[in-house]
Amino acid sequence: MEGAKMIFKRKIYDELLAWKQTQNGRTALLLKGARRVGKTTIVKEFAAREYQSHVLIDFAKTSEDIRSLFDDLSNLDDFFMRLQLFTHSRLPKRQSVIILDEIQLFPKARQAIKYLVEDGRYDYIETGSLLSLKRNTAGILIPSEETRLVMQPMDYEEFRWALGDFDTCALLRDFFQGRKPLGEPLNRRMLRDFRLYMLVGGMPQAVSAYLDSHDFRYIDQVKRGILELYEDDFRKIDASGGISRLFGRIPSELRKAASKYQVSSVLPGRTAKEAGALVWDMEDSQTVNLAFHADDPNVGFALHRDGQRFKVFLADTGLFVTLAFKDRKFTENIIYEKLLSDKLDANLGFLYENAVAQALRANGEELYYYTFPQESSNHLYEVDFLLSRGNKICPIEVKSSGYQRHAPLDAFKEKYSGRIKERYLMYTKDLAKVQDVLMLPVYMAMFL
């Protein structure tokens, strides 16, 4: 998308269109998301298709002349006249959109949104990441005239679209809704296709690299470049390297199968407040997904969220594959070989957990999990994810194999039977219903 200039079909386009049609200039659109997730590409495509004219101001490289326009908004007629001259563009009223790209780099422009929207002659789209950092909001009034959207990496259906397949996921949804098994030969093929998505990931630049080369070494180089970009951003936020260490240790922390991310082991000597601030800054980058422990697994998870007990997943599973072996050569990254051959070790099972977390977040779900002690044991049961459906909850257990045992789900039912709507086991075999447990191949997580 960005690297090879490919334009992929993205679901968020329909949300942009809904904003334009319903708001009709009453709010600006703020599109948040991680770097390289495709924000600029999608808004440029949207502007070109849905407006007569548009201007894009990229605050990462725009001229001082354009920046200086935001110093004085007392005469908006003069402001817009100069903007059109500087950008060599004519902007018909109510038929044009002004894109303010990487707006976190110039907070003054974000503050100006209030007055520009009130003026009413144009639509406005802001894009950015790390928008909540104090240095990006210091001294400015955050506008209330914003409709905010978050752009995620490409989900599995968007990935299939990029490969020219517009039918498979729709057909799989029919099987899911009808609770019909595919048959094991077809399930194996669907799993193979999904494992490809797990390896490539949903970052548009990596998908472009796959379509260009079908060479995993090259794809891995592209993903390493994206990770290095993130680490550069983290160092700008926190020169001590704390956020970089938190980010880099995500795979090893998940591999421990501990009940939470052990921040103190990654950042020894930091106070809880200092470490917490770094975690929230990392979350604000949109590069990670946090799953919080629900102390009382009931509807309204946020009311019982333990803010100090959480797990951290990468927002993109393809980047996770690369991050897990980032300090080694590509040839040493055994995940590629093992996933392709369907021989993933049990101690790499967290990769499927990350993929399910990504699918749930793509559906707009907040992530929660639950742990509780086993009887006559010092060990804990863990329900990997919890979904709220009406006045009931749905516990999810994720396995990297085809085993149908689900002790955590059974123990959870014994403890909270009256709260449960449906129990899900995500695994690598075909769809099956055993008593009240719906066993789903992992590629169907997108339908939950």
Side-chain angles (χ1 to χ4, degrees), residues 107 331 353:
T331 52
E353 196 175 340

PDB file of all heavy atoms in Angstrom, residues 107 331 353:
ATOM      1  N   PRO A 107       0.472  20.447  17.049  1.00  0.00           N
ATOM      2  CA  PRO A 107      -0.752  20.580  17.860  1.00  0.00           C
ATOM      3  C   PRO A 107      -1.554  21.838  17.569  1.00  0.00           C
ATOM      4  O   PRO A 107      -2.778  21.844  17.734  1.00  0.00           O
ATOM      5  CB  PRO A 107      -0.204  20.573  19.296  1.00  0.00           C
ATOM      6  CG  PRO A 107       1.100  19.830  19.206  1.00  0.00           C
ATOM      7  CD  PRO A 107       1.672  20.205  17.882  1.00  0.00           C
ATOM      8  N   THR A 331      16.829 -16.583   8.997  1.00  0.00           N
ATOM      9  CA  THR A 331      16.901 -18.041   8.895  1.00  0.00           C
ATOM     10  C   THR A 331      16.724 -18.736  10.242  1.00  0.00           C
ATOM     11  O   THR A 331      16.469 -19.931  10.299  1.00  0.00           O
ATOM     12  CB  THR A 331      18.253 -18.469   8.292  1.00  0.00           C
ATOM     13  OG1 THR A 331      19.314 -17.843   9.034  1.00  0.00           O
ATOM     14  CG2 THR A 331      18.344 -18.057   6.834  1.00  0.00           C
ATOM     15  N   GLU A 353      -3.032 -17.079  20.113  1.00  0.00           N
ATOM     16  CA  GLU A 353      -3.710 -16.179  21.052  1.00  0.00           C
ATOM     17  C   GLU A 353      -3.614 -14.740  20.559  1.00  0.00           C
ATOM     18  O   GLU A 353      -4.585 -13.975  20.624  1.00  0.00           O
ATOM     19  CB  GLU A 353      -3.088 -16.326  22.440  1.00  0.00           C
ATOM     20  CG  GLU A 353      -3.929 -15.760  23.561  1.00  0.00           C
ATOM     21  CD  GLU A 353      -3.335 -16.039  24.931  1.00  0.00           C
ATOM     22  OE1 GLU A 353      -2.514 -16.961  25.063  1.00  0.00           O
ATOM     23  OE2 GLU A 353      -3.702 -15.313  25.882  1.00  0.00           O
TER      24      GLU A 353
END
